[in-house]
Amino acid sequence: MTLGTDLAPQVLLPGFIGTTVPAWLDDALDAGLAGVCLFAGNVDPGDPHGTARLTAALRARRPDLVVALDEEGGVVTRLEAPRGSTLPSPAQIGLLPVDAAAETGALLAARLRAAGIDLVLAPDGDVNDNPLNPVIGARSFGADPEVVAERVAATVIALQAGGVAACVKHWPGHGDTVVDSHHGLPTVPAQTVERHAAPFATAFAAGVAAVMTAHVVVPEWGQTAVTLDAAALGRLRALTDAVIVTDAVDMAAVAAEAGPGAAAARALAAGADLVCIGNPGLSGIDDEAQYREVVDAVAAAIDDGRIPEARARDAAARVAALAAAYPAAAETDGSLPDGSPADGSPAEPDAATVRSIARALAEASTADVASIAAAVEVRDGRRGPSMAVATRARPVVEWLSEATTRELAAAPAGPGRIIVVADRLDDDQRAVIAAAQAQGAAVVVNVGPIGATAPHPTVELGADSPLSVRVLQEWLGGVAR
């Protein structure tokens, strides 16, 4: 065994396919793998205890394994991917007093602990002040840096008090971009970075355990993506001692030129501590081949000195310290921690919280919510569900479509009354809205960040999620239509 083959697994966070532990992952665990990141394909929606059993099986092979999950509430969920999250979205929380962020963080921590998760890739510290942003949107607490900062800090504190390490993302900020780093390399000016610094500063002050880098270029810092740039990561290390986690290295922003293996090696050499490899189930990628490419590339870079031994050992030590600070929640026999619901169902926001969200959304809306009840047709203006990489669910569209179908037979003749579900005013969605308006009265139901569909008459929902459906039901008297 070379030094590289010994150290490389200790700084990697791969995904894998399926709800059981594949043979190649067994081997990687035996070789000292740092952790795994679960995605929707690892969660069996028909088995409320399945994720806890899976994480327990993983830790039976390696007790100090880090098990991470992308779980933000709203449009980004893995545990509830088939139907969408029952927790408020950050955009919804941004309209409420800061206590709502702490309460939601505590609920999320309880869910994660019950599933055996010890690192959550949340909260999102991005300031979404660009309404055309294709990747952040309602994942952000809002467009005001101070509002975002207060809620980021409250969420971090609640999550970590609940026994789950938080990972604030995406430093130095992905909120003002029109390029999705899954598909290309965004540019963020230094002036924008400075404007968006407060949420990350409050997370660091709150003792956040980890921070995820953004695959963005800050031209004033150089022409290299921040994740791969030693000078940029040096700036980050000067701000915090948190574990530096990369965004997924299979994303085009860093992988397009030489692949995820080369990107992983460059990120570690630049100062990252833990490399998130990506979601192999998203595009039918061979999970073992993806991992082998990355681990071999990192091992080779350690052996030939591109990643200095001291840098690799420092990264591995930081990851090991994180695992020790947040021990696993689920026992190796698959049992759930004390206080978990016996049937595995997650705790949900109470009725008073839903009413508070409904009132805040109604006040933010520029159309009367009663206009929803007058509609007879629903059109989804998006090319796909919001953040389709996280969930294929379309609960708002489905509920509204079911409700309007029941009214079609009784609808009077005359101009159409059309709901267009949208999440931003890109060219495609603008065209759908314009066509609906040309056919008669139309109202936009916005499931993106608040204000993303101005200047159209809009009912704000702040997420395409089951919780948003609860808000609709609250508005329309608790029953469909």
Side-chain angles (χ1 to χ4, degrees):
M1 177 181 289
T2 69
L3 179 66
T5 56
D6 179 41
L7 288 176
Q10 298 179 44
V11 292
L12 299 182
L13 189 74
F16 64 96
I17 295 172
T19 57
T20 58
V21 182
W24 71 263
L25 183 53
D26 259 338
D27 293 341
L29 294 170
D30 289 342
L33 183 64
V36 296
C37 188
L38 302 186
F39 294 95
N42 304 120
V43 177
D44 181 354
D47 183 357
H49 298 301
T51 307
R53 280 195 292 271
L54 174 59
T55 56
L58 289 163
R59 291 198 176 92
R61 297 300 300 266
R62 185 169 177 80
D64 57 352
L65 188 73
V66 173
V67 182
L69 189 76
D70 236 356
E71 194 75 15
E72 301 173 9
V75 297
V76 175
T77 178
R78 314 298 179 180
L79 293 176
E80 299 183 284
R83 63 180 183 138
S85 178
T86 52
L87 289 177
S89 72
Q92 292 165 343
I93 294 171
L95 297 178
L96 302 177
V98 71
D99 289 352
E103 292 166 4
T104 303
L107 281 175
L108 177 55
R111 293 184 179 191
L112 295 167
R113 290 280 297 176
I117 306 300
D118 50 13
L119 173 64
V120 61
L121 305 180
D124 195 313
D126 298 308
V127 178
N128 197 87
D129 55 8
N130 187 331
L132 292 179
N133 193 318
V135 67
I136 303 301
R139 301 168 62 192
S140 167
F141 291 106
D144 183 327
E146 294 305 318
V147 168
V148 176
E150 290 175 348
R151 284 147 188 80
V152 163
T155 303
V156 166
I157 291 168
L159 285 169
Q160 297 189 170
V164 178
C167 180
V168 66
K169 58 189 184 186
H170 307 78
W171 186 88
H174 207 316
D176 185 8
T177 67
V178 293
V179 175
D180 180 346
S181 50
H182 291 88
H183 307 299
L185 181 57
T187 296
V188 178
Q191 184 178 8
T192 301
V193 169
E194 182 177 355
R195 188 173 77 246
H196 291 185
F200 298 102
T202 61
F204 300 152
V208 71
V211 52
M212 177 175 282
T213 59
H215 299 330
V216 300
V217 167
V218 181
E220 293 85 351
W221 298 356
Q223 296 304 310
T224 302
V226 163
T227 299
L228 311 179
D229 185 350
L233 295 192
R235 290 173 181 263
L236 177 55
R237 180 55 70 212
L239 297 173
T240 179
D241 202 41
V243 171
I244 298 176
V245 183
T246 71
D247 207 344
V249 293
D250 65 349
M251 294 165 61
V254 296
E257 182 177 341
R266 290 182 63 188
L268 288 161
D273 301 314
L274 184 60
V275 172
C276 180
I277 297 177
N279 182 357
L282 184 61
S283 303
I285 296 170
D286 183 321
D287 52 356
E288 180 178 4
Q290 185 183 59
Y291 174 71
R292 294 294 176 204
E293 177 185 348
V294 173
V295 74
D296 289 350
V298 171
I302 294 171
D303 287 336
D304 67 20
R306 283 175 290 145
I307 302 174
E309 178 181 348
R311 169 80 276 275
R313 290 194 183 280
D314 176 62
R318 289 177 183 276
V319 176
L322 174 66
Y326 291 89
E331 301 296 336
T332 56
D333 64 359
S335 62
L336 297 176
D338 291 342
S340 298
D343 63 355
S345 60
E348 297 192 8
D350 59 24
T353 298
V354 175
R355 285 194 293 272
S356 295
I357 294 171
R359 285 194 296 270
L361 289 168
E363 290 175 3
S365 296
T366 57
D368 192 319
V369 295
S371 59
I372 295 175
V376 295
E377 182 184 350
V378 180
R379 299 178 185 176
D380 194 344
R382 304 162 295 170
R383 285 180 292 182
S386 298
M387 289 306 301
V389 294
T391 176
R392 304 292 177 182
R394 302 193 308 161
V396 167
V397 171
E398 291 168 1
W399 189 85
L400 286 169
S401 296
E402 180 184 355
T404 55
T405 297
R406 286 197 290 268
E407 298 296 312
L408 285 174
R417 297 189 300 280
I418 303 166
I419 294 172
V420 177
V421 178
D423 61 5
R424 66 185 189 279
L425 279 184
D426 61 15
D427 290 343
D428 291 337
Q429 296 185 53
R430 193 187 300 272
V432 175
I433 294 169
Q437 290 176 325
Q439 291 181 258
V443 62
V444 176
V445 170
N446 176 31
V447 295
I450 308 305
T453 60
H456 304 287
T458 300
V459 172
E460 301 284 359
L461 280 184
D464 191 355
S465 70
L467 188 132
S468 293
V469 172
R470 288 182 65 186
V471 169
L472 286 167
Q473 292 169 336
E474 172 73 21
W475 280 337
L476 300 180
V479 294
R481 309 288 288 188

